[in-house]
Amino acid sequence: MNAVKSVRGFTGGAYAGVIARYNENKNHYHDALCTVGGAEPQVKAVVADEKFHILDRQANKLYKPTKHFLSQLASKTKWGSFTLNKLYASNNVKHQTILKDLVDISFQEDFGKEMLFRFNDQDDSCRAFLSDRYAVIDNNWVLDQTKQFLPQECGQAVACDKSGDDYINFSVVLPASLRSDDDSDYGGLIKIKNSEIGTHRLDISAGVFRTICSNGMIGWVRHDDVSVVHRGKVDLGHLATQIQSCIAKHIQSIPVMIDKLLGTKKMIFGEGASMTPLFASVAQTYKFSKAEIDAAQNGWDIERHETPFYAKTLFGMVNSLTRGSQKLGESSWEKLNEVGGALASYSESEFIGLRNKANALTTKDVHSILGKELMFA
C-alpha cells in the first residue's frame, strides 16, 4: 500500500502577496481614453526611429506594441498574429509603416467612438486597445471581492499562482477541507482568473488539491462557476453577489468532489492491462497536442512509481494528466487539469464506456494517436 504523504498545517503563498504584486505592476500603468478619428487624437499610430509605435500625446511618449496588442490588431484586420509579429520584428521601415496603416484603416469603422488604450510605463509598452464594447473589470476589484468572501484561513493558502503582468490566475486552498487518504492529503481549492486587457474572462471555479503533487483539477462543477466575458455593461453590485454565492456553493461542493476523485481508485482497468490504448483514447477524445501527450507520459512515469497500487486505475490516469501538466504553458496546463477533472467525475458506466472505447482501438490507431515511440506500460 502507498505511504501517506501528509502535510497537515499546509501553508501556501500569501493572498496579500498576490495583491501586492498586482499593485506593484499597477503603479506603472496608465490609461488614455480617446475618440477615434478626431482632428488631433490623443493617441495615434506612428513610425518613429524606423519602428512602429503608439504615441500618447498627453504623456508625450512613444510606446511599443505588446504581443497582445498585435494579436488584437490581427483579430481586427484578419491578417493573422504570426504575420503581424513578423512585420514588427523586421528592420524594414516599410513593414513598420504597414502596421501603422493597418491601425489607421482598421480604426475607421470605430470613427467617433471612444477607445481605451492601456499603457505600461515601466517597459514603455501599449498593453491593449479596448473598444467601448469592452467591459473593464479591474483585477484589484476581483481580488478585493474574493478576499472578502473566502474564509479567513485562505490568507496563507495560495497554492499555485500563474498570474502575469496583465492578468491574475491563481488558486487558493481551503485548509479546513483537508483530509487524509492512504496516499496523500486532499482538499478543495478555488481558482480565480481575470484580465483587464481581454486575455482572460473573469472565472471563479473549484477543484481538488492533492498535497503529494500540488495538483489542482479544475472544472468539476461548472454550473456553480462565475464566468463573465468582458463585453457590454457589467453591474458590479450584482457581480459581487454572484461571486459571494459562487464561492459559498463551491465550498459546500468540495467534499463531494473529493469523494468522486477518491472513488476513481476503485475503477480498475485491469492488473495486466496496458494503459497505452486508454491514454490514446483520452488523447484522441480531448485532442491532445504532442507536447500534452508527452506531458501525460511524464506524469504517468511519476505516478506509477509513487503510487503504484493505483497505477492502473482511473485515479492513476487522472493524476498522470494533472502531474504532467505542471511544466506546460498556461493553456495546456489548464486543459490537462480540466480533462483530469472531467475524468475524475466519471460514473461507473462512463468509465466502462471509456474502457470499451480504448479496447476497440487497433495498434495502428494507437500509434497514429500517440506516436510509435510512446508507450504506457
Side-chain angles (χ1 to χ4, degrees), residues 150-331:
L150 283 167
Q152 188 173 0
E153 61 184 3
C154 294
Q156 294 292 330
V158 175
C160 184
D161 185 3
K162 291 184 176 287
S163 302
D165 291 342
D166 298 301
Y167 62 91
I168 53 174
N169 186 358
F170 65 101
S171 299
V172 181
V173 173
L174 301 164
S177 69
L178 284 171
R179 73 194 212 203
S180 292
D181 206 63
D182 60 352
D183 64 308
S184 180
D185 282 351
Y186 292 85
L189 56 77
I190 304 293
K191 183 178 179 184
I192 301 158
K193 183 166 63 173
N194 185 61
S195 169
E196 300 176 328
I197 62 170
T199 59
H200 299 73
R201 67 175 60 198
L202 169 60
D203 191 88
I204 299 175
S205 50
V208 168
F209 178 78
R210 187 187 185 207
T211 58
I212 191 175
C213 57
S214 300
N215 279 341
M217 289 161 280
I218 309 300
W220 293 11
V221 284
R222 302 305 300 183
H223 59 282
D224 286 333
D225 290 359
V226 164
S227 186
V228 178
V229 177
H230 294 251
R231 190 179 298 118
K233 293 184 178 180
V234 175
D235 183 335
L236 292 181
H238 177 64
L239 182 55
T241 301
Q242 283 184 293
I243 291 173
Q244 181 180 17
S245 175
C246 164
I247 290 175
K249 289 179 179 179
H250 281 330
I251 292 173
Q252 291 176 353
S253 70
I254 292 299
V256 175
M257 295 167 65
I258 297 174
D259 286 342
K260 278 183 171 289
L261 173 63
L262 297 182
T264 62
K265 291 180 176 182
K266 299 176 182 178
M267 297 183 185
I268 303 170
F269 291 117
E271 189 61 34
S274 169
M275 295 293 285
T276 303
L278 291 155
F279 276 97
S281 179
V282 170
Q284 183 184 54
T285 299
Y286 293 98
K287 297 180 173 57
F288 284 3
S289 67
K290 179 66 165 62
E292 290 162 353
I293 291 172
D294 289 341
Q297 186 182 45
N298 291 336
W300 162 249
D301 288 340
I302 297 170
E303 189 66 26
R304 69 192 179 103
H305 285 104
E306 290 203 10
T307 56
F309 190 79
Y310 298 119
K312 295 193 174 183
T313 65
L314 185 58
F315 177 86
M317 172 175 279
V318 166
N319 286 288
S320 296
L321 299 182
T322 56
R323 276 187 187 272
S325 73
Q326 294 173 19
K327 293 184 179 180
L328 293 173
E330 183 186 351
S331 62

Side-chain angles (χ1 to χ4, degrees), residues 113-125:
K113 297 180 181 178
E114 289 188 332
M115 188 76 70
L116 180 68
F117 290 82
R118 314 206 86 166
F119 297 102
N120 184 339
D121 289 302
Q122 186 174 39
D123 63 4
D124 296 337
S125 66

Side-chain angles (χ1 to χ4, degrees), residues 59-94:
N60 193 28
K61 194 172 179 179
L62 294 168
Y63 294 89
K64 60 189 178 186
T66 60
K67 285 187 177 182
H68 178 61
F69 180 101
L70 292 175
S71 175
Q72 288 182 296
L73 184 60
S75 178
K76 195 171 180 62
T77 61
K78 313 300 185 207
W79 269 57
S81 293
F82 177 81
T83 300
L84 296 195
N85 277 281
K86 194 170 182 179
L87 287 173
Y88 183 68
S90 168
N91 292 322
N92 188 328
V93 69
K94 291 183 179 179

